[in-house]
Amino acid sequence: FWELAIPSPWSAVTQIADRLPGLMDCPDFLSQEEKDFVESIRQRFSEELTSREAEGKAYLCFFGSVAVARILGAVEGNVDKAHEWFQTLLRTLSDPKTEALVQDVLQRVADCKSEKRDGSILPHYDTVKAFFNVQLC
């Protein structure tokens, strides 16, 4: 049974956005290796990231420093694999259907009135609830 905490990626909710690091911020708790990797992603994919930022699609949950640093850990420190993984993420998120899903989830979270959000507001929750305990921060 996995527990998945998803940080809020929209800045319209200021009380949450104020707690989150900005897209370009690297928190002190990241290791130097992670910070270097985040910087390598920013340099290698600067055009795509700049474009996403201009379009309002540079979601912190995908492109924030902590999210990007976690990619390196997921591939056991292999920078080449991490770059491939990130490129696949960009390709996946460029699909209009994926973008529509992201926007749907962001709207559901924004519409949620309670302080504590859980995964029941997400699409397909009934299908995945046996496998993940999703808590939205």
Side-chain angles (χ1 to χ4, degrees):
F1 198 85
W2 293 86
E3 184 157 321
L4 178 64
I6 302 172
S8 305
W10 66 105
S11 60
V13 183
T14 56
Q15 68 179 11
I16 294 171
D18 288 344
R19 295 193 320 241
L20 296 173
L23 187 63
M24 300 305 282
D25 296 337
C26 262
D28 291 338
F29 61 80
L30 293 180
S31 70
Q32 190 58 50
E33 179 185 22
E34 291 168 325
K35 290 177 183 179
D36 292 345
F37 172 69
V38 170
E39 184 58 32
S40 77
I41 288 288
R42 289 183 180 145
Q43 289 177 4
R44 183 169 177 179
F45 299 100
S46 64
E47 188 176 313
E48 294 94 335
L49 292 171
T50 300
S51 174
R52 285 191 149 276
E53 230 175 334
E55 296 170 4
K57 297 179 181 179
Y59 312 114
L60 286 173
C61 59
F62 297 124
F63 302 110
S65 298
V66 175
V68 172
R70 292 181 78 183
I71 296 168
L72 188 61
V75 295
E76 299 175 354
N78 184 321
V79 174
D80 292 332
K81 280 187 178 182
H83 282 168
E84 288 176 32
W85 195 100
F86 192 80
Q87 186 149 19
T88 301
L89 172 67
L90 287 171
R91 193 171 35 253
T92 301
L93 290 174
S94 70
D95 182 313
K97 289 181 182 178
T98 305
E99 180 61 31
L101 179 62
V102 170
Q103 289 299 319
D104 177 49
V105 170
L106 292 175
Q107 190 60 54
R108 288 171 187 248
V109 173
D111 291 345
C112 187
K113 303 293 185 219
S114 70
E115 279 295 314
K116 182 173 169 117
R117 297 169 179 95
D118 65 33
S120 65
I121 67 169
L122 299 175
H124 310 292
Y125 173 73
D126 289 333
T127 304
V128 299
K129 69 182 180 185
F131 306 102
F132 292 97
N133 178 17
V134 178
Q135 294 187 9
L136 305 173
C137 302

